[in-house]
Amino acid sequence: FGDLAGYKGELPPQVDGLSIAGLLRSGGQGRIDRSGHPLVFHLPHNLGAGLQRPHSAIRDGDWKLFKFWDNGQLMLFNLARDLGESEDLASRIPGRARELEQRLMAYLSAAKAQGVTS
């Protein structure tokens, strides 16, 4: 959005993101290349009434990993084959799960994310 507004400076290091201006200008045609820039979501607190367990997630290419903070559970999905996230692959592909967990933890540590425990 900074790009669309004409901002030309560097983004602060704590801001994660890439420009979507090209997609908006092309009517949604094309892709955003996040290679080397996984997408991270961090929800470290329980939202109450059992709505959502505290967790973080990392999306890198076709892979998405959830880490739940209440018990350390990992869930791994291949979104190219399972967009509905119904088949947890963490126990079948533990190396991929560990790699994404390490990347997630490195990102959260660098961002000084609230509520992070190992």
Side-chain angles (χ1 to χ4, degrees), residues 16-17 49 57:
D16 177 31

Side-chain angles (χ1 to χ4, degrees), residues 8 33 58 65 93 97-98:
K8 302 294 183 204
D33 180 13
I58 184 169
L65 177 95
I93 313 173
R98 279 191 304 276

Side-chain angles (χ1 to χ4, degrees), residues 3-19:
D3 189 16
L4 290 169
Y7 181 73
K8 302 294 183 204
E10 289 287 321
L11 293 175
Q14 68 273 23
V15 175
D16 177 31
L18 299 168
S19 177

Side-chain angles (χ1 to χ4, degrees), residues 38 40 56 58 65 67 69 98-113 116-118:
V40 174
S56 295
I58 184 169
L65 177 95
K67 178 172 180 146
W69 295 106
R98 279 191 304 276
E99 177 219 339
L100 286 173
E101 180 187 21
Q102 288 172 351
R103 292 181 68 196
L104 173 66
M105 294 303 294
Y107 177 90
L108 294 174
S109 177
K112 296 179 178 44
V116 174
T117 59
S118 53

Side-chain angles (χ1 to χ4, degrees), residues 35-62:
S35 58
H37 300 279
L39 186 59
V40 174
F41 299 92
H42 182 56
L43 301 163
H45 303 291
N46 187 334
L47 297 178
L51 296 176
Q52 196 168 59
R53 293 167 53 200
H55 70 279
S56 295
I58 184 169
R59 164 90 191 261
D60 189 24
D62 293 335

